[in-house]
Amino acid sequence: MIQSINPYNQQVVFETKELTKKETEAAIDAAHKRFLSWRKTPYSERSKLMHAAAAELKKNKQEYAETMTLEMGKPIAQSIAEIEKCAWVCEYYAEHAEQHLANKPIDTDAAASYVSYEPIGVVLAVMPWNYPFWQVFRFAAPALMAGNIGILKHASNVMQSAANIQKVFERAGFPKACFTHLPLSSSKIEAIIKNPKVKAVTLTGSKPAGSAVASTAGSEIKKSVLELGGSNALVVFEDCNLEETLKTALQARFQNTGQSCIAGKRLIVHKNIAKEFTDNYVKAVRELKSGDPMDEDTFIGVMARPDLAEELAAQLEASVKAGAEILIGGKRDKAYFEPTVVTGITSEMSLFKEETFGPVIGITTFETEEEAVDLVNQSDFGLGVSVFTEDMQRAKKLVPLFDDGAVFVNELVKSDPRLPFGGTKISGYGRELSADGILEFVNRKTVYFNKY
């Protein structure tokens, strides 16, 4: 039996039986059979259904958001915002998929030649608990609009959310087996990837999980896309708009109780404004409201599991032992972790080198642009970086020097349906969202007509 346990009060909120091997294979068979007909549907029909999915998300956003909050502790206001964002990505692909997948004419010696973009079949999505709806929908919307079929292996602690996602597509009128949630443990993923009717896999999760999935997919010569961890830097120059930078840096670190791959996890601040910035940042953190995730005013809820809070405490303790100083926070109670700011962080410390998946941020200072770039690029991760400066020429000069998959100037790193999303180094490979994302799981077919 797979259970969802409310991290706020440790009560079981949902449980489901794991599928048997026979049931799993039957679900994959049904998905493949559906693909054979779904691939032939016109874009107009797919678009109509995807708009209906967006409408369903908006109509019942409270229902879906409350389940999410109960399962993994996300503050309810943020859960509702997540559902609304899922509706946006559905609408985006309903309106733009046909354009993104239009044949691309290429001039050659042929009478006609072009590239067509055709669906590949059943795609497995292995998804995490931290954004239980968004991570899935940013895969599902483009995949289904491209003519593919989605099967989902979700994180074990958000199985009711997974069932609700399948319900969204069913309520919207999608044909049966267009999108199927498989209640399974992680040990069953390898067999699913090896199933010949599964053509590709996408994973959002940890480096070990990504490595295992990529290895299996590689052994089967199947396409994979990985969106793994991040340790995004927030680089604050002395000419920044201090008030706006503080607001953005606060949101960047502490939204979703700090449990986000694209959260700003390393504050890298120019030494000339370090004291002023730090004092104001600590003051703002002190004002964040912690409490019951179901309370609309709560901004800091609980972490998704007590063991995750324990891991974060160990990273904090190791950095303090190495010389860092806690300015605020630092205490843990089961799955609750106080929002914490730590100063004196060096590049050798855990809070700098490792991904911190919770409400803790370390502050490091720099003097020159070159030093700032070096500090950012020292990370093994490469998901995104935020740069705060009023000098746009400086920002444009720095953009190509960062290794990351995204650079946001005077803004937190975020995913947007209109822009490609993905990382470098151990943050993964491939892209989600925009035209780039929908093209990940298609057959780019060369078509050549000769005339005798």
Side-chain angles (χ1 to χ4, degrees):
M1 192 70 70
I2 302 175
Q3 293 184 328
S4 297
I5 299 174
N6 185 336
Y8 184 69
N9 57 24
Q10 299 304 304
Q11 293 180 356
V12 176
V13 295
F14 182 76
E15 56 184 19
T16 185
K17 289 178 63 177
E18 185 171 357
L19 295 182
T20 64
K21 180 180 179 181
K22 184 177 180 180
E23 289 170 332
T24 302
E25 290 176 349
I28 295 172
D29 288 346
H32 174 69
K33 184 177 180 180
R34 174 57 62 194
F35 169 66
L36 299 179
S37 58
W38 179 248
R39 68 186 302 179
K40 299 175 184 176
T41 58
Y43 285 115
S44 58
E45 176 65 16
R46 298 178 204 168
S47 177
K48 179 182 176 181
L49 291 168
M50 196 59 70
H51 273 300
E56 166 59 25
L57 286 162
K58 292 177 180 178
K59 177 183 177 182
N60 292 303
K61 61 184 177 183
Q62 191 71 31
E63 171 193 344
Y64 299 133
E66 287 180 0
T67 296
M68 191 190 313
T69 294
L70 290 172
E71 286 194 302
M72 52 72 62
K74 188 190 300 288
I76 187 65
Q78 296 174 37
S79 292
I80 291 172
E82 180 172 337
I83 301 299
E84 292 171 341
K85 189 171 184 178
C86 292
W88 179 25
V89 79
C90 289
E91 291 167 344
Y92 174 83
Y93 280 107
E95 295 163 8
H96 297 283
E98 184 173 7
Q99 174 190 347
H100 290 332
L101 297 172
N103 291 345
K104 179 182 177 182
I106 298 178
D107 289 333
T108 66
D109 296 335
S113 53
Y114 58 90
V115 178
S116 66
Y117 304 96
E118 301 173 4
I120 59 174
V122 179
V123 182
L124 168 65
V126 182
M127 293 293 151
W129 49 261
N130 60 328
Y131 287 88
F133 265 67
W134 171 245
Q135 308 279 22
V136 177
F137 271 90
R138 73 183 188 190
F139 150 74
L144 291 174
M145 284 302 301
N148 292 313
I149 298 296
I151 56 174
L152 170 65
K153 191 287 171 202
H154 218 324
S156 296
N157 59 332
V158 289
M159 284 292 167
Q160 189 171 14
S161 290
N164 280 344
I165 293 169
Q166 180 174 325
K167 187 188 298 183
V168 169
F169 290 113
E170 291 173 347
R171 286 177 171 178
F174 277 81
K176 186 176 177 60
C178 265
F179 185 91
T180 305
H181 144 60
L182 304 176
L184 294 167
S185 62
S186 297
S187 63
K188 306 302 192 299
I189 294 174
E190 182 177 358
I192 297 175
I193 297 172
K194 289 183 175 181
N195 188 304
K197 291 177 181 175
V198 174
K199 303 303 180 184
V201 58
T202 179
L203 175 140
T204 299
S206 67
K207 179 189 174 185
S211 179
V213 163
S215 177
T216 302
S219 70
E220 299 295 310
I221 318 299
K222 293 182 180 181
K223 176 70 177 289
S224 62
V225 169
L226 302 181
E227 197 278 277
L228 307 179
S231 186
N232 291 4
L234 304 164
V235 184
V236 182
F237 284 93
E238 58 184 325
D239 69 334
C240 73
N241 180 319
L242 189 61
E243 182 179 353
E244 293 301 320
T245 299
L246 283 165
K247 290 179 185 177
T248 303
L250 194 73
Q251 179 77 10
R253 171 65 278 194
F254 294 105
Q255 64 179 345
N256 199 29
T257 316
Q259 299 168 117
S260 173
C261 56
I262 55 173
K265 294 164 184 161
R266 297 178 294 148
L267 256 172
I268 299 175
V269 185
H270 195 282
K271 72 167 191 175
N272 290 350
I273 62 166
K275 185 180 187 308
E276 181 183 10
F277 182 90
T278 300
D279 289 346
N280 282 281
Y281 196 75
V282 169
K283 180 181 177 181
V285 169
R286 185 173 287 113
E287 294 172 357
L288 295 176
K289 185 179 185 302
S290 296
D292 186 342
M294 291 297 286
D295 185 338
E296 291 184 0
D297 294 328
T298 294
F299 187 81
I300 298 291
V302 288
M303 296 181 66
R305 300 193 311 266
D307 63 295
L308 298 172
E310 291 172 5
E311 290 175 13
L312 186 63
Q315 291 174 305
L316 176 62
E317 182 181 359
S319 295
V320 170
K321 285 183 177 179
E325 177 186 359
I326 298 174
L327 299 180
I328 186 173
K331 296 179 182 178
R332 178 184 71 84
D333 181 12
K334 298 176 183 175
Y336 173 71
F337 205 107
E338 288 182 327
T340 302
V341 180
V342 187
T343 192
I345 295 295
T346 67
S347 58
E348 293 79 31
M349 294 179 181
S350 295
L351 293 184
F352 188 98
K353 293 192 300 180
E354 302 169 8
E355 180 177 26
T356 49
F357 218 69
V360 174
I361 191 163
I363 299 177
T364 305
T365 61
F366 72 94
E367 295 186 40
T368 66
E369 292 178 1
E370 292 76 16
E371 185 182 1
V373 171
D374 179 63
L375 285 168
V376 172
N377 289 340
Q378 279 186 42
S379 176
D380 291 333
F381 298 93
L383 201 51
V385 55
S386 293
V387 176
F388 298 91
T389 178
E390 294 289 272
D391 186 343
M392 292 302 102
Q393 291 305 117
R394 165 193 275 159
K396 290 177 182 178
K397 180 181 69 174
L398 292 177
V399 165
L401 302 182
F402 297 117
D403 297 337
D404 298 65
V407 179
F408 280 64
V409 179
N410 296 325
E411 183 57 282
L412 53 84
V413 175
K414 55 188 178 181
S415 52
D416 182 319
R418 299 163 294 189
L419 294 169
F421 179 83
T424 61
K425 301 191 278 191
I426 65 170
S427 288
Y429 53 74
R431 291 295 180 265
E432 296 178 299
L433 302 175
S434 75
D436 298 70
I438 201 170
L439 292 175
E440 287 287 1
F441 296 117
V442 297
N443 175 18
R444 296 170 173 86
K445 181 177 288 184
T446 295
V447 181
Y448 188 103
F449 286 88
N450 199 8
K451 200 181 223 182
Y452 290 109

